[in-house]
């Protein structure tokens, strides 16, 4: 008896095209206004925890919000432990990220819309849900709709000018971002920077900073140590544990969009390194290095324009010293 209304509803609306609308929240992210709509208060709370309190980043005069609908799936997930990684798919103008039948993202850049479906099981993994489904949709929509170049890197700034800080995993980008922030530089992004190809204006999401426990070794201020060490910890898929520092509740100066003034490639110090070293990189070296280190960005439509504009920036390689403040002082000199 109780299954009859469900069967009737399924026959009338098999694709769930007329779900209850729920309520909406809006946030300015990566230069555009986003509207998130859901029946699930838990999903909207996670959206607010991720994007509320960010400095306004406006890159476009278009007032039309990009739309993201979030649903809780009726299906249960069959995995045990952490969720499986996201698998990418595309076709018919759609971009998809699929975990399983109950957890996926479908994005339509042409219409500025995305659908996120998450199971009740996924709600127990807010870190994965936030980064692998919600941010996947936000980053992809913002990038494709505005023609931004997505780069793996950090960005610190001062007085509206920014340095793009790049390097492989473990090179020390997060450490530089942390100590640059503690020394009064503006923090735009720790791990993902989005650049307008023609204007070289950079945007990011300065919500969280991820630092390993050994990153506290060089933090002398007791108040800062307490702020960092009391932060919750997350575990990357690699197994590395890090503090997840909420930058919106602390001493950080969060940056508005920055005009890029230079690029710094960061490298770990060698066994014989005693002090930080900063040396210029030639234009040909910059182009080759960026193409190798940023393969996804290099495949985007605006890459040629981006590389043409980047050629006028000063570019350096920074060999980190034993103490992070040595490197931070060199970065500050480039921004003064």
């Amino acid at each position: 008896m109780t299954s009859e209304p469900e069967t009737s509803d399924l026959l009338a609306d098999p694709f769930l095209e007329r779900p209850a609308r729920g309520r909406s929240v809006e946030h300015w992210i990566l230069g555009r206004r986003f509207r998130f709509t859901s029946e699930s208060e838990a999903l909207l709370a996670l959206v607010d925890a991720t994007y509320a309190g960010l400095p306004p980043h406006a890159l476009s005069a278009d007032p039309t919000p990009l739309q993201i609908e979030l649903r809780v799936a009726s299906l249960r997930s069959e995995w045990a432990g952490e969720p499986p990684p996201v698998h990418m798919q595309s076709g018919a103008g759609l971009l998809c990220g699929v975990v399983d039948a109950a957890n996926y993202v479908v994005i339509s850049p042409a219409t500025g819309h995305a659908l996120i479906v998450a199971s009740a099981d996924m709600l127990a993994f807010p870190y994965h849900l936030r980064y692998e489904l919600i941010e996947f949709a936000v980053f992809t929509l913002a990038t494709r709709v505005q023609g931004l170049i997505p780069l793996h890197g950090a960005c610190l700034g001062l007085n509206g000018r920014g340095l793009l800080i790049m390097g492989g995993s473990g090179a020390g980008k997060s450490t530089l971002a942390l100590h640059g922030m503690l020394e009064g530089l503006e923090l735009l992004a720790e791990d993902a920077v989005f650049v307008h190809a023609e204007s070289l204006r950079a945007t990011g999401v300065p919500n969280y900073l991820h630092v390993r426990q050994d990153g506290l070794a060089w933090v002398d201020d007791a108040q800062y140590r307490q702020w960092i060490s009391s932060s919750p910890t997350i575990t990357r898929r690699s197994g590395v544990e890090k503090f997840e520092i909420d930058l919106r509740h602390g001493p950080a100066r969060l940056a508005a969009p920055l005009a890029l003034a230079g690029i710094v490639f960061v490298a770990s110090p060698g066994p014989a390194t005693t002090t930080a070293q900063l040396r210029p990189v030639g234009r040909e070296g910059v182009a080759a290095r960026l193409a190798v280190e940023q393969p996804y960005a290099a495949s985007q439509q605006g890459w040629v324009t981006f590389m043409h504009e980047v050629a006028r920036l000063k570019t350096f390689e920074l060999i980190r010293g034993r103490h992070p403040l040595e490197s931070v002082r060199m970065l500050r000199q480039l921004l003064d």
Side-chain angles (χ1 to χ4, degrees):
M1 295 287 292
T2 58
S3 64
E4 289 182 2
E6 296 177 5
T7 302
S8 175
D9 291 344
L10 180 61
L11 292 175
D13 187 17
F15 295 103
L16 302 180
E17 295 174 274
R18 298 187 297 278
R21 293 292 297 173
R23 71 180 184 90
S24 298
V25 297
E26 294 189 358
H27 297 289
W28 278 90
I29 313 164
L30 298 176
R32 281 293 294 263
R33 185 159 58 100
F34 277 79
R35 179 177 295 153
F36 301 85
T37 303
S38 182
E39 289 184 85
S40 168
E41 289 299 321
L43 285 173
L44 291 178
L46 187 56
V47 168
D48 283 340
T50 306
Y51 299 117
L54 293 173
H57 283 202
L59 295 179
S60 170
D62 189 342
T64 307
L66 303 179
Q67 305 267 6
I68 297 182
E69 182 180 344
L70 304 100
R71 298 181 188 173
V72 176
S74 57
L75 299 174
R76 300 290 302 221
S77 298
E78 298 181 357
W79 31 265
E82 73 173 9
V86 174
H87 297 280
M88 310 299 182
Q89 295 285 345
S90 67
L94 302 175
L95 304 173
C96 308
V98 180
V99 175
D100 58 21
N103 298 278
Y104 53 88
V105 181
V106 182
I107 304 165
S108 172
T111 63
H113 286 70
L115 169 67
I116 298 173
V117 176
S119 66
D121 306 275
M122 182 65 88
L123 290 170
F125 294 88
Y127 172 77
H128 294 80
L129 176 53
R130 184 192 340 142
Y131 281 101
E132 298 180 357
L133 294 181
I134 296 176
E135 286 209 343
F136 176 85
V138 169
F139 286 5
T140 303
L141 267 183
T143 300
R144 297 300 178 95
V145 170
Q146 299 181 103
L148 304 179
I149 302 297
L151 299 167
H152 176 56
C155 190
L156 289 167
L158 186 66
N159 298 325
R161 302 170 69 244
L163 290 176
L164 185 60
I165 302 169
M166 315 189 80
S169 179
K173 297 187 298 297
S174 294
T175 300
L176 280 178
L178 170 65
H179 288 276
M181 173 194 71
L182 296 181
E183 288 298 304
L185 294 180
E186 300 165 3
L187 180 59
L188 179 74
E190 169 210 14
D191 194 54
V193 183
F194 301 82
V195 182
H196 187 269
E198 296 179 359
S199 67
L200 292 188
R201 291 185 71 203
T203 182
V205 182
N207 48 7
Y208 297 103
L209 180 67
H210 298 93
V211 178
R212 292 169 51 140
Q213 187 168 1
D214 56 13
L216 283 171
W218 304 108
V219 180
D220 297 326
D221 187 284
Q223 183 179 357
Y224 291 160
R225 290 181 65 88
Q226 174 63 25
W227 175 50
I228 297 168
S229 61
S230 63
S231 299
T233 58
I234 55 92
T235 303
R236 302 278 200 190
R237 287 197 178 272
S238 63
V240 175
E241 290 189 356
K242 293 191 174 187
F243 291 115
E244 186 170 65
I245 308 165
D246 193 333
L247 300 170
R248 296 158 292 179
H249 304 287
R253 295 175 60 191
L254 305 184
L258 297 171
L260 287 185
I263 301 174
V264 177
F265 293 100
V266 181
S268 301
T273 303
T274 56
T275 59
Q277 302 171 28
L278 190 68
R279 54 194 182 205
V281 177
R283 290 185 179 181
E284 292 184 1
V286 174
R289 195 160 180 172
L290 283 174
V292 170
E293 293 189 10
Q294 307 289 330
Y296 176 67
S299 69
Q300 300 304 298
Q301 188 173 4
W303 181 256
V304 173
T305 300
F306 172 70
M307 290 305 302
H308 180 268
E309 297 300 322
V310 158
R312 61 184 174 84
L313 299 181
K314 293 182 178 180
T315 305
F316 301 87
E317 181 177 57
L318 173 64
I319 309 299
R320 292 189 294 109
R322 293 302 177 186
H323 198 294
L325 289 184
E326 295 179 33
S327 301
V328 170
R329 292 188 185 108
M330 288 186 169
L331 295 180
R332 192 176 192 109
Q333 289 174 4
L334 297 177
L335 288 167
D336 284 338

